[in-house]
Each structure stands twice: as C-alpha cells, then as structure tokens.
Amino acid sequence: MNKWVILTILLCLLLPYKAFADAAVGEMIVTLGENLSTEQKNMILSEMKAPKDVEVLTVTNAEEHEYLGDYIASRLIGTKAISSSAITLEEKGTGLKLESKNINWVTDEMYINALATAGVKDATVYVTAPIPVSGTAALTGVIKAYELSSDKKIPEDVKQAANEEMVKTAKLGDEIGTEEASALVTKIKENMAENPPANTEEVRNVVESSAKELGISLNDAQIQSLIDLFNKLKELNIDWNAVGDQLTAAKDKLSHFLESEEGQSFLDKLKEVFSSLIDAIKSLFN
C-alpha cells in the first residue's frame, strides 16, 4: 500500500480522537434549541459570552421528547426546542456550578443533582432561554455537550434516570417547596454515599430518615415516588461518593436552608415537641 495512503488513514483515525482528547479546562461548548430564530441564537451566544469559534450543538424537540416523554405530559414538553446551555470544563475537584436565566420550574440545585447523577463532573453550566420556560428540556443539551467535551459516553439508562430525577424533584417542589425538595434529594444522596442501601427496604429507610433529619413531612405517595427513583438509581450502580463530590453548591444550599428562618422554625418546633413530652412525663409522676 502507498505510504501516503497509510499516512492518510492514520490521520483520519487519530484526528477525531485528538479533537476529543484535547478538550481543555476553560473550553466552552454551547447547545442551542433547534427552533430558535437567528436573532435569538445571536442574543443567547452574546449572553453566554461565547467565543466566536465556540462549538455549537443543536438540540431538537424530538430529543427532548425522547428523554422526557415518560415523565411529563407531551403538551408540557411542547413542539419547539428553545432551551439552550453552555458548559465549560473546570479543574478536577472543582465540582459542578450552575446558573440559569428564564427558567421557572427547575431550580439550579435540581439541575446540579441530576447532572451529578448522570456522571457530569467538574464543570460550570449556564442554562437559558429567550422566554420563561420550565427548563426540563435543558438537561438534554447539557449532557449532550458534556459527552462531546469530555469524550465520555453516558449510558442511555443513566440519562433517563437523571431526567426522571429532575422532573420528580420539580414535581415534589410544587408540593412541599422547591428548596425543601432540592435539600431532601441532596440529603438522600449524602446518606446513600455514607451507607449505601442494599435493598428496597433500606432505600425506604434512607428516604424517611433524610426527610426526618430535615423536618420535611412526606405523604405515602411522595415517599413511594422517591423510593422508586432511588431504587432505580441503586440498580444502575452509581458511584454515590463521586456524585457527592460534585454537589458542593447543592450542599451549600442545604446548609443555608438549615440556617434559614424556615429551617430554624423546624428546629424550634422540634424543641417544643420534646419540651411537651417532658412536661407530659412529669405530670404522670405528679
């Protein structure tokens, strides 16, 4: 075989690998919704402070339905892809940081939790849209960009689980409060990292004890929904210690929640319960 042909083949094999392998700290990749107008795309790129040569991926409405269709109604996903994101790789050990704009249902902590579940590591993420949206579709784009930038393929079942986690946490937030829902999911993950559950009953114990630690009251349906979710995650053999390492921002939010007026209110109520219990015991002896 001609030596130039051999050289060409070798280059074709090596160049794609090099493009992925050279993904460096500080490199940004952008995802734009397929149905954005040219003006909206330019506005979002400017908002992201994206460099002129930034790599841009397109996210389609079909992809959004693929990953969200089992968890929320099709009408809520809609027929247009407009959510966009930027992901920038950071130094190892940095953890996940996220900022969002025009997202009115999924909180930053919910994104961080879901991305950590998916295996996304050490990155700064920006999620945005030209108009207020729920934000559920943005996760698809962020994961897509991370796979390209890090050259790490995330298994499809893990992607599905991350989307399910995000939606279930947002729905729980509608019922018990967004901060409470985000704090609870973070606490469950912390406890699973410390004592990995071996079966469904142990998953139940982690869910219930985590809620009790935070003073969050859950009904049977909410408990079962969380058990189903974390039981599924357990079956995926997720490294909970690695997940925990990425949750610095979410853990900070959890600490702030416990120090907040709302969190302190719970602690005061707990003190009242014990005080009443002690008084009741004293009355028995009187």
Side-chain angles (χ1 to χ4, degrees):
M1 186 181 290
N2 184 289
K3 65 179 181 179
W4 296 111
V5 173
I6 295 173
L7 181 59
T8 301
I9 292 172
L10 287 173
L11 285 172
C12 288
L13 289 171
L14 291 173
L15 283 176
Y17 173 78
K18 185 177 186 299
F20 287 124
D22 285 351
V25 169
E27 178 181 345
M28 175 188 285
I29 291 183
V30 168
T31 70
L32 296 176
E34 181 183 39
N35 300 110
L36 292 170
S37 67
T38 300
E39 182 181 357
Q40 288 172 326
K41 289 177 181 178
N42 290 334
M43 179 187 72
I44 285 174
L45 289 170
S46 175
E47 179 185 313
M48 292 174 171
K49 297 180 175 59
K52 289 184 179 180
D53 61 346
V54 70
E55 183 157 8
V56 177
L57 305 178
T58 298
V59 176
T60 68
N61 186 245
E63 288 176 303
E64 294 174 349
H65 280 271
E66 177 185 354
Y67 290 108
L68 293 166
D70 289 342
Y71 315 117
I72 55 177
S74 294
R75 61 181 176 79
L76 296 177
I77 303 172
T79 58
K80 294 183 178 180
I82 60 173
S83 294
S84 302
S85 65
I87 183 166
T88 304
L89 298 181
E90 304 292 354
E91 294 282 355
K92 185 176 180 180
T94 303
L96 289 169
K97 299 175 184 177
L98 190 140
E99 182 183 352
S100 61
K101 179 181 178 181
N102 275 339
I103 305 299
N104 58 23
W105 194 42
V106 180
T107 68
D108 293 358
E109 292 72 36
M110 291 176 193
Y111 279 127
I112 289 173
N113 262 302
L115 289 170
T117 293
V120 175
K121 297 179 180 179
D122 304 319
T124 296
V125 180
Y126 183 70
V127 177
T128 188
I131 58 174
V133 295
S134 68
T136 53
L139 189 66
T140 300
V142 177
I143 291 175
K144 188 174 182 177
Y146 179 75
E147 285 184 309
L148 178 62
S149 62
S150 65
D151 192 24
K152 294 178 181 176
K153 179 65 178 172
I154 297 172
E156 289 300 311
D157 53 358
V158 174
K159 292 180 191 176
Q160 287 285 350
N163 277 278
E164 181 178 357
E165 176 190 323
M166 175 186 65
V167 172
K168 281 193 171 183
T169 309
K171 286 181 177 178
L172 183 62
D174 289 339
E175 298 167 359
I176 68 171
T178 55
E179 288 198 4
E180 287 81 353
S182 296
L184 178 56
V185 170
T186 303
K187 175 57 71 175
I188 291 171
K189 287 181 175 180
E190 275 190 307
N191 289 337
M192 287 185 78
E194 291 176 9
N195 296 293
N199 52 50
T200 300
E201 192 54 39
E202 290 186 8
V203 172
R204 174 184 289 277
N205 291 338
V206 171
V207 169
E208 292 181 344
S209 63
S210 298
K212 188 175 181 180
E213 281 184 70
L214 298 178
I216 294 173
S217 179
L218 300 174
N219 60 38
D220 290 343
Q222 291 163 345
I223 291 172
Q224 190 58 53
S225 178
L226 288 168
I227 290 171
D228 291 343
L229 171 64
F230 281 94
N231 211 33
K232 179 182 290 187
L233 297 179
K234 179 179 72 66
E235 296 302 320
L236 294 175
N237 295 318
I238 288 172
D239 184 344
W240 292 107
N241 287 308
V243 169
D245 291 342
Q246 299 302 311
L247 296 180
T248 302
K251 287 177 183 177
D252 287 345
K253 186 79 172 187
L254 172 59
S255 298
H256 293 153
F257 169 74
L258 292 174
E259 294 168 2
S260 69
E261 184 178 341
E262 197 170 6
Q264 288 300 309
S265 175
F266 160 67
L267 294 176
D268 290 339
K269 287 178 183 177
L270 196 60
K271 290 175 186 175
E272 289 175 14
V273 170
F274 281 115
S275 178
S276 299
L277 183 61
I278 290 171
D279 288 342
I281 293 172
K282 285 180 178 178
S283 68
L284 289 176
F285 290 97
N286 291 331

